[in-house]
Amino acid sequence: MEEDEGSARKLSIYTAARSIKRRDNTVYNALRSIYEDSIFVGEISQLWPDLPLLANLRCGFWYSPKFHSTCYFKSTDGHNNNWSFSTSRLNLHVALLAGQKGGCIIVDSTRRGKRFPDSMSKTIPIWTCVLNRCIHNHLNNMRDTAQMDKESNTSDQHHERTRCVSVDWDCSLHLPLWVSETEKASIESRIEEWTKQLDASGADIASLMMCLKKPLRPLWISQKTVIWLNEVPDHDSWDFTPIILVSASSSSGVIQHKSTSEYSWNYIPGAGDDEESWARGLSPNLFWTHVYDLINLGPDLCNQKVADIVEKDRVYRAQRGQTTPQVTVKAPKLLESSYHFSQEVPLLLGISNLEINTKSSDEDCAISWLGSTNLAVGTSQVAANVCNVDCILNCDQESISLFLPDAEAYLHLPTVMSKLDRYSVLSNLPFAVNFAKLNLSKGKTLLVCCHNGEDISVCVCLAILTSLFNDGGTFDDGSSFNETHITKWEMQRRLVYICKFAPNARPSRGNLKQVFSFLTGGRVSSV
């Protein structure tokens, strides 16, 4: 009897704790917390107004109404004893942008009682160090080449400049003070290995080397950082290219009760994290479009307002002719020579020009052409109104209404993420590759699309590129693939090639495993 009473008491305590947590983590509390933290983010961005503001997906995307771009650095790559440098998430567009603008500001947040998420404490510092070392190695190679070139004074001057830059290029691992010396030493012991992996991946280090005048270096700013406004240094005054890491939320780790003249609410650190559990279908762009309505309505009416906004947006999207962006895509011009997958090519080369005319608050939609391959990757929302694309392979769960002259130019393969179906991508890849082979062999252009244009469509393009194109990036009907043993490293090089043209690509590990299973388990059949 006493045991039953004890169990009931424990259960009631657990139930009460869960009830309190649900009460505290309401939509209004989350949105109000995000809004308050965004004020801090705006203040920091104004200290360096010339530096582009980037959101680290997905949590960071909530904390400002306007970002220049996005990036994807995972906290798991910085977890203790799990440090990693991912060639699947190179984020080279961030380094290029920082080189062009003199630096950049990255925004993220965390729910835990930390000042910074591990993505900022370790993942990004590892990334900057590996890139710096790879660039330094390339500079040294240029210096050695210049030493052998004695043809002109210009060459001597170039050699001297390269020598000075390579000597002064900072390759140190810069970590925040709260990372222990033991952990820092463990990370440093693996930097050289990661540098070799990056160099062998076929990443476009030459473009980074030409763009970056100073080495990359992270700086950390949180709500506890003391900044003297009359002594804010200009970003050009530093002897490095700053990657300013802004942790948006308070680091107390405790839900704080706050109140205004009208409402009381609970502050949630890192409220933008895990949006599926609280956002009720609301996206960051929808939030910022209706921010003042949502904040001013208060906690009692917020849920209904969110439901109304999400439903109106759903209906608005359903009316395709009125809601989706009117997009004109210029097909890629064939280059004079084909690029090798391992060859260094400019990062932004091959991305098509998009003319988007829309008043919608939806996410920026883009189609990225993969070099001169006649392949493009994008979202299914844009595919419904895209022009000048011969064929469309739709991997979204929902079909789209199209006006293609040839009925055989459209194939719908409903595909879901690996968390829902471990074999969904694998089972659809044979049909996708054969559809691509049929159309690419006729010189047609092909758009592969999915819901977000970042995961499933990228994996399908990876399978197509590996199966139907040779190392030179030329369509060969799968002849080189049938004669080659595909390794994970070879597949990784092709993925790096895709990321050069589609910087928002974020293929999941589960889907990549399915692509590798397909590539190692079969050969391209005859159409």
Side-chain angles (χ1 to χ4, degrees), residues 85-90 194 197-198 201 489 492 495-496 499:
F85 177 84
S86 174
T87 51
S88 300
R89 298 178 293 274
L90 284 178
W194 292 328
Q197 290 178 3
L198 174 60
S201 70
W489 188 244
Q492 191 67 50
L495 179 59
V496 169
C499 292

Side-chain angles (χ1 to χ4, degrees), residues 206-221:
S207 292
L208 289 180
M209 185 176 62
M210 297 300 294
C211 187
L212 282 170
K213 300 178 179 62
K214 305 173 186 178
L216 300 167
R217 183 168 176 176
L219 300 174
W220 296 268
I221 295 179

Side-chain angles (χ1 to χ4, degrees), residues 159-172:
H159 161 62
E160 183 63 24
R161 181 176 66 85
T162 304
R163 185 189 68 80
C164 293
V165 171
S166 61
V167 169
D168 298 335
W169 199 264
D170 182 14
C171 296
S172 303

Side-chain angles (χ1 to χ4, degrees), residues 329-340:
V329 180
K330 298 179 181 179
K333 296 181 179 179
L334 292 178
L335 305 181
E336 293 181 1
S337 60
S338 298
Y339 286 104
H340 292 259

